[in-house]
Amino acid sequence: MSAYPPPRPPGRGFQGSPPPRRGRAVRVDPVLVELGAGLVWLAVGTLGLGADGVGTLILAVGIAIAIGIGVENRRRGPRPFDTSRSAEMLRLGGGVIAIVIIASIVLGLISASAFLPGLALVLTGGAFVLLSRSTGQQPTRWLGLVVVAAGVLSALVTTATAGGFVSQGLLGLLAGVLMLLSAADRVGLVEMLRDRAR
């Protein structure tokens, strides 16, 4: 059973369509956010593999899976956050992007760019943990904690060795896969696959 609320059934015609929105309030669909973040981390991970053919294949498979999840989310009826939670998600996302950009410049100046993937993982996971406090969704919290742990592990590996394969490649792929799985769970695909396997 999915830990997220069940998706709404798709509306037909004007019946079941959402009421008209006033002003320019933005409502963010968490499924699309997790799909986007997952694809970004898959791309980061494939860059760390150092093998163009394998990395391209993995990224192509990830994009195909993300498209499938997105289509299923639209078919079942998206469940966007309300305006206040959407605003918080946008603030967190903007903050993470800004800090990563600044950190990339600073780490580049001190020749420590190898730590950037780990720092970005910690920031991404931290944003998910903070978001879970306002949404009350435990899967989002656990996803954030696992991504933070991956970021810390990445930093430790970078400190101990010079291998970007583990810190950027494998851990980036792990974060991407976890975010795609979380998006699939929100839509209800994980529960559906589990029921079919029984």
Side-chain angles (χ1 to χ4, degrees), residues 4-67:
Y4 295 108
R8 294 192 303 265
R12 292 185 173 87
F14 293 103
Q15 190 178 20
S17 59
R21 290 178 299 205
R22 297 177 181 176
R24 296 188 177 182
V26 177
R27 299 187 66 192
V28 179
D29 188 345
V31 173
L32 299 182
V33 172
E34 288 181 345
L35 290 178
L39 289 178
V40 168
W41 277 109
L42 280 182
V44 171
T46 55
L47 290 174
L49 289 177
D52 294 337
V54 176
T56 302
L57 178 62
I58 293 175
L59 185 58
V61 171
I63 291 173
I65 292 173
I67 291 174

Side-chain angles (χ1 to χ4, degrees), residues 114-195:
F115 289 95
L116 184 59
L119 175 62
L121 279 170
V122 170
L123 292 172
T124 303
F128 278 112
V129 172
L130 291 175
L131 183 65
S132 71
R133 294 175 61 183
S134 64
T135 62
Q137 295 177 332
Q138 287 300 314
T140 303
R141 178 172 178 268
W142 286 112
L143 173 64
L145 290 175
V146 171
V147 174
V148 167
V152 173
L153 179 60
S154 173
L156 292 176
V157 170
T158 303
T159 302
T161 67
F165 173 76
V166 174
S167 62
Q168 181 177 339
L170 295 182
L171 294 178
L173 291 177
L174 172 64
V177 169
L178 286 175
M179 291 175 193
L180 293 182
L181 280 175
S182 180
D185 189 35
R186 283 184 185 274
V187 175
L189 291 175
V190 173
E191 181 182 359
M192 183 183 71
L193 293 174
R194 189 186 302 122
D195 292 340

